[in-house]
Amino acid sequence: MDFSGLPRAELTDDGGKPLEAQLCVTAHIAQTVAEALRQNWAVMAAGGLTSAIGSYDYKAEDVADRFKGVVAIRPKGALAAERVAADTPLDQILTHQVAIAADQGLVSAGAGLTFTQVNAALAEAVGPTSRILVDLTSIASAYVGGVVATGGMGPLRLLPSASLEAVCLADGESTRIVEGEALGTVEGMQGWTGMVTAARFRFYDVPASEFGLVLPVQGSDVDTVAGLLAYLHAWTRITLPAPGGRITGEGGDTVLNGIELVSKDSLEAFIAHAEEPARSKAEGLLQSCEYAGADMLACLTGWSELSIDDVLMSLLDPETETIGGVMIDFGVGFSSGAEMETFRAIREGAPDLARTRARVVQPGKLKPWSTSTDINIIMPADSSALVAVLEAYADYRGAIRALGRELAGSIEVELSAYGHLSPMGIDPHHRVTLFAPEGGEAALAAARLAVAANKRTLIHDLLFAAERHGATITGGEKGAPSLVEIARAAGGEGRLAPALKARLRKARAAVMAAPANFSFRAPKELRTED
Ligand SMILES: Cc1cc2nc3c(=O)[nH]c(=O)nc-3n(C[C@H](O)[C@H](O)[C@H](O)COP(=O)(O)OP(=O)(O)OC[C@H]3O[C@@H](n4cnc5c(N)ncnc54)[C@H](O)[C@@H]3O)c2cc1C
């Protein structure tokens, strides 16, 4: 195969500069990887291309003189998954194929499928309530291989490895099957240790209907949010049964699979760009916010055998007639399929808009600079830990808003907060985007440094709060890059809690053991002995 004759991959680095890479789309990843290595090409695995800005960055000096060039290998997708025999070995599954072993509760899926496609195949083969518990909000666009490689997680706050049985990894002449503890050498490693060709997941049965419940949270008082989360703790605890089995929670018939935050200003920004029917519904929610004097909405999602009205009653504290101190008078329920689509459009509207604005260059302006927080913290059930963590975020928001006022007239500072606020993992993403006029490079550079310093303070405060209150920082939803960022903010790996330190050590060992053809993109902290 002549890799140099392939078209260029349309990938850019963090600064918007096109990356030097050829693109190879293939259903046969193993053979293509082996051939690329034989010809001494560096391999950059590509998936659904939905990941964070900067995911494909690499330094030209890490490639020059060492490799013939970089080839971005992307698994070939399909409109729908092609079903093959249940006993097809994992290393024989092509990128667009699934093998469903219904009696064992296992599904093997090719790297080029989305989880929506895999769940559709499960619905057809097993039943409509069967699914893999991977719930990223990009579930319909991110690929199986990319999700495993990033270690992405959605509102449920479960890593792919929570239901991952094995992956097939192409990292040399032949493939190998990675299982058990060793999955940590692939999950969250961004393709720096090899390329996922297929993955085998355990699937589960979930209660029949999915619901959404939006509650305006009065004031921006961290105690109110902390009280709500502490109260809902039991409904968020899911017990994973044997593969194929029914998932259950401590909340009986109802399982909460996500508690997400949408701030009132994000909702307003969404309304300005939204289309019907989501726009009218979002306007209704904004009105609820105003009636309730609320600054944010808590968006609860879950599965239940109950009707939405009965779910509401079952979540209610009979003594206070509130849900964890939050009044239900202005709450709005969503239950049918179409309603849930609208609900998701609203819930995801804010992050979508923030990501798009961060990528698009506006006329007369420099390319925006953007950074987002990603640090997942599993909380104990008491609210003091929650308060400490939420206060750290409130301080960050305050500092960024103050910076915005200070820079007004030269740099525009945009802050958007959204994301996961569940006791099973607090990770409210705070995206800060800076817009500078053309010629404003120096001012932009100074503003970047100021935002980065505030972000380091936030991560530091979160590490401290977690240590003091018995919470556990598990990294972020960008796998190893989030770990490295946390270590940098902490002032070095030595300052991390033992569990995080151990994960970084394992990540380093995996990167150092991988062929340089993959590991050339890894941060330098992972490519040198500690
Ligand atoms: C609308 C939207 C919503 C999102 N919601 C979430 C969310 O809820 N939670 C979350 O965690 N993230 C979320 N993301 C980010 C993104 O979807 C995830 O990081 C996702 O896991 C990336 O998958 P992908 O297939 O697009 O990978 P890509 O973006 O193509 O690649 C990501 C990284 O994985 C590597 N890679 C890709 N494929 C392979 C492979 N086969 N083998 C080895 N390495 C590979 C790439 O080299 C790259 O480093 C969201 C993004 C968008 C646009």
Side-chain angles (χ1 to χ4, degrees):
M1 179 180 246
D2 174 18
F3 290 103
S4 17
L6 291 169
R8 278 174 70 112
E10 304 273 312
L11 297 169
T12 56
D13 72 4
D14 215 356
K17 201 170 101 221
L19 287 170
E20 287 293 329
Q22 314 307 122
L23 176 68
C24 179
V25 179
T26 175
H28 301 271
I29 296 179
Q31 291 90 320
T32 314
V33 163
E35 185 58 29
L37 267 51
R38 240 176 271 136
Q39 295 185 28
N40 197 30
W41 281 76
V43 175
M44 185 151 69
L49 307 179
T50 65
S51 62
I53 297 157
S55 267
Y56 285 100
D57 282 7
Y58 68 86
K59 291 208 164 54
E61 66 260 30
D62 290 328
V63 178
D65 306 332
R66 298 170 73 197
F67 303 106
K68 267 198 187 150
V70 180
V71 57
I73 302 181
R74 193 173 191 211
K76 195 166 180 199
L79 285 178
E82 180 195 329
R83 252 183 93 191
V84 293
D87 58 355
T88 309
L90 199 55
D91 58 3
Q92 305 292 311
I93 304 267
L94 298 184
T95 52
H96 59 290
Q97 293 179 332
V98 283
I100 299 173
D103 52 336
Q104 297 169 54
L106 296 175
V107 53
S108 304
L113 293 171
T114 67
F115 282 94
T116 301
Q117 290 174 322
V118 181
N119 283 332
L122 281 173
E124 207 178 295
V126 190
T129 53
S130 295
R131 71 183 62 198
I132 302 180
L133 292 185
V134 168
D135 67 335
L136 329 223
T137 44
S138 49
I139 189 164
S141 47
Y143 287 3
V144 165
V147 173
V148 170
T150 55
M153 50 186 168
L156 254 173
R157 304 280 85 196
L158 286 179
L159 285 166
S161 53
S163 54
L164 190 55
E165 196 81 1
V167 301
C168 177
L169 193 72
D171 63 350
E173 266 307 310
S174 53
T175 56
R176 56 196 177 93
I177 302 296
V178 182
E179 297 169 288
E181 281 243 325
L183 285 170
T185 63
V186 180
E187 182 180 64
M189 298 302 289
Q190 305 279 336
W192 304 328
T193 57
M195 190 156 175
V196 175
T197 73
R200 182 180 302 127
F201 288 88
R202 299 181 279 278
F203 67 82
Y204 300 97
D205 184 47
V206 300
S209 15
E210 199 174 10
F211 66 86
L213 185 59
V214 181
L215 296 173
V217 180
Q218 293 86 7
S220 52
D221 182 359
V222 293
D223 291 308
T224 315
V225 180
L228 173 71
L229 297 185
Y231 175 79
L232 291 176
H233 201 267
W235 282 276
T236 62
R237 296 192 69 86
I238 291 178
T239 315
L240 290 185
R246 164 58 75 99
I247 68 153
T248 51
E250 288 174 17
D253 290 330
T254 301
V255 173
L256 285 185
N257 59 20
I259 306 169
E260 304 283 298
L261 162 88
V262 175
S263 65
K264 189 178 156 198
D265 21 327
S266 304
L267 190 64
E268 282 165 341
F270 172 74
I271 290 168
H273 294 83
E275 289 177 12
E276 292 301 345
R279 203 217 333 241
S280 305
K281 204 76 188 179
E283 280 169 346
L285 291 175
L286 186 63
Q287 217 164 44
S288 300
C289 269
E290 272 150 19
Y291 292 147
D295 273 350
M296 61 174 90
L297 296 167
C299 301
L300 279 54
T301 40
W303 294 297
S304 185
E305 298 295 346
L306 305 175
S307 70
I308 180 72
D309 290 342
D310 289 343
V311 166
L312 194 63
M313 293 318 291
S314 70
L315 294 177
L316 205 64
D317 178 348
E319 281 196 7
T320 60
E321 298 206 334
T322 64
I323 297 183
V326 173
M327 290 192 301
I328 58 160
D329 312 45
F330 303 108
V332 181
F334 297 78
S335 50
S336 73
E339 280 186 3
M340 285 307 289
E341 297 255 309
T342 307
F343 170 88
R344 285 206 182 84
I346 297 172
R347 192 186 67 181
E348 291 317 313
D352 267 357
L353 191 64
R355 270 188 291 260
T356 308
R357 282 182 58 74
R359 281 178 199 263
V360 174
V361 184
Q362 296 173 13
K365 292 194 176 165
L366 297 175
K367 181 174 192 301
W369 178 83
S370 191
T371 182
S372 172
T373 63
D374 178 29
I375 172 160
N376 193 63
I377 311 179
I378 296 182
M379 309 301 296
D382 78 294
S383 62
S384 72
L386 287 162
V387 168
V389 165
L390 294 176
E391 267 172 354
Y393 280 106
D395 289 349
Y396 182 61
R397 285 195 296 276
I400 296 298
R401 283 185 185 131
L403 184 69
R405 286 192 295 274
E406 198 185 303
L407 298 178
S410 65
I411 305 280
E412 198 189 322
V413 180
E414 203 168 83
L415 169 70
S416 174
Y418 46 82
H420 321 288
L421 264 190
S422 148
M424 296 312 291
I426 294 241
D427 190 359
H429 306 303
H430 283 54
R431 179 170 289 285
V432 179
T433 306
L434 302 179
F435 301 90
E438 274 169 4
E441 283 84 355
L444 182 63
R448 279 175 67 153
L449 289 179
V451 174
N454 281 309
K455 190 171 165 187
R456 274 198 302 278
T457 306
L458 166 72
I459 297 180
H460 216 265
D461 289 352
L462 292 175
L463 287 168
F464 184 66
E467 192 182 318
R468 266 193 77 201
H469 294 279
T472 311
I473 294 185
T474 61
E477 43 177 62
K478 289 174 196 70
S482 297
L483 279 180
V484 169
E485 183 179 42
I486 293 168
R488 283 179 188 163
E493 210 168 317
R495 305 220 176 144
L496 296 181
L500 276 188
K501 217 187 291 178
R503 279 189 53 201
L504 257 176
R505 265 201 217 108
K506 279 188 188 156
R508 179 178 300 107
V511 166
M512 293 194 63
N517 308 60
F518 297 99
S519 64
F520 72 100
R521 287 193 297 141
K524 63 177 182 329
E525 286 97 326
L526 298 183
R527 284 190 279 149
T528 38
E529 298 287 357
D530 56 339

